[in-house]
Amino acid sequence: TGDYAHNWRRDTRALETLRRAAATAKDAGLAIHAGHGLTYLNVQPVAAIPEIEELNIGHSVVSRAVLDGMEPAVAAMAALVAAARP
């Protein structure tokens, strides 16, 4: 997800690469986890990839928790992910 995180505002190619990679890896029997560079602003397109089983988004959540508290930060991210999941 690192390439996607750096380019999501200006280019959709990295997201398409993630989609293809997730599908290929799932077909090979792998569990798909993602998370590097994901934030409250860019998480939903990645969360919508059905093959991805787990998202690791600690840095963004903890950063928001410094200002808002851990429970609201987690709840906000969980709501975004849930809304995007197929």
Side-chain angles (χ1 to χ4, degrees):
T1 55
D3 189 40
Y4 165 75
H6 290 291
N7 296 297
W8 68 277
R9 289 185 178 175
R10 62 183 173 274
D11 191 351
T12 61
R13 287 180 289 183
L15 182 60
E16 291 307 315
T17 299
L18 276 176
R19 285 187 180 125
R20 286 191 312 272
T24 299
K26 187 72 170 185
D27 287 345
L30 298 174
I32 314 306
H33 300 184
H36 178 78
L38 296 180
T39 70
Y40 292 85
L41 299 176
N42 68 11
V43 69
Q44 288 191 303
V46 175
I49 299 171
E51 293 84 3
I52 294 178
E53 298 175 24
E54 182 175 311
L55 294 170
N56 301 295
I57 316 169
H59 186 262
S60 188
V61 172
V62 171
S63 295
R64 179 175 257 188
V66 169
L67 300 175
D68 296 343
M70 188 58 79
E71 286 186 37
V74 171
M77 182 60 77
L80 288 170
V81 171
R85 295 301 286 170

